[in-house]
Amino acid sequence: TVMIVSLISGVFLLVLGLMIARPILEIMGTPENVIDLAVLYLHIYFLGMPFLMIYNFGAAVLRSKGDTKRPLYCLIISGVINACLNLLFVIVFKLSVAGVAIATVIADGVSAVLIIYFLMNEEETIRIDKSYQNRCTGGIARSGVLCFKCMYSNCYKQFRL
């Protein structure tokens, strides 16, 4: 259920981000000569929001049981992929700002896939079960809502700064 909530929240942030990217940049006083590039970057970046939310929720689940290493490994791998793809897309393919944003989305997708892999192969009770169990849905949904509130609180603080 936490993964479903993360996916739904990611899609919500994707749609919201696409709608408010330009108005927010205008409110912030972004110079005219870069606003179109900034909007392009944000539009591509927000396409990766479901990946980002899946990673964040999944990493929170792993951290809640004391496993801080595997989420860190995901970030390290994602960071290296992001840096390499930035160089490839900007220098080789000349994609400029779009290349940087695409590299970020791909790296976020890799981290989401890795965290799902770790959760699906977890031996303890927190693993993602491949079958849907109706009898557990209520308790899991309550846990997912709490995690959802926490993640939105963190996102709000980051965007407010």
Side-chain angles (χ1 to χ4, degrees):
T1 303
V2 169
M3 287 294 114
I4 293 170
V5 170
S6 69
L7 186 60
I8 291 169
S9 65
V11 171
F12 172 76
L13 289 174
L14 161 67
V15 172
L16 180 66
L18 292 176
M19 290 188 319
I20 67 168
R22 182 172 288 277
I24 291 293
L25 290 170
E26 289 171 351
I27 289 170
M28 291 173 41
T30 304
E32 285 296 317
N33 61 332
V34 296
I35 195 163
D36 289 332
L37 291 173
V39 169
L40 174 64
Y41 177 85
L42 286 176
H43 281 176
I44 295 170
Y45 177 80
F46 278 113
L47 291 176
M49 199 54 66
F51 298 135
L52 191 60
M53 296 306 284
I54 287 170
Y55 167 78
N56 283 334
F57 276 70
V61 169
L62 288 176
R63 286 187 196 113
S64 73
K65 72 168 202 99
D67 182 359
T68 58
K69 289 182 180 179
R70 289 188 291 177
L72 177 62
Y73 297 153
C74 290
L75 285 181
I76 291 169
I77 292 167
S78 174
V80 169
I81 289 171
N82 192 5
C84 292
L85 289 177
N86 280 337
L87 295 172
L88 178 71
F89 292 155
V90 173
I91 296 171
V92 176
F93 297 127
K94 310 282 188 228
L95 291 176
S96 184
V97 171
V100 174
I102 292 167
T104 301
V105 171
I106 291 170
D108 288 344
V110 169
S111 66
V113 168
L114 287 172
I115 212 76
I116 288 172
Y117 173 79
F118 289 144
L119 288 170
M120 289 185 78
N121 292 304
E122 189 67 26
E123 295 298 324
E124 296 182 25
T125 58
I126 64 164
R127 73 180 172 84
I128 295 176
D129 194 355
K130 294 172 185 124
S131 64
Y132 187 77
Q133 297 178 3
N134 287 331
R135 58 187 164 85
C136 298
T137 303
I140 294 171
R142 284 188 291 279
S143 299
V145 168
L146 292 175
C147 191
F148 177 77
K149 287 179 183 178
C150 180
M151 290 304 299
Y152 270 111
S153 159
N154 288 337
C155 287
Y156 174 76
K157 289 176 188 174
Q158 288 175 352
F159 282 114
R160 195 176 65 164
L161 297 176

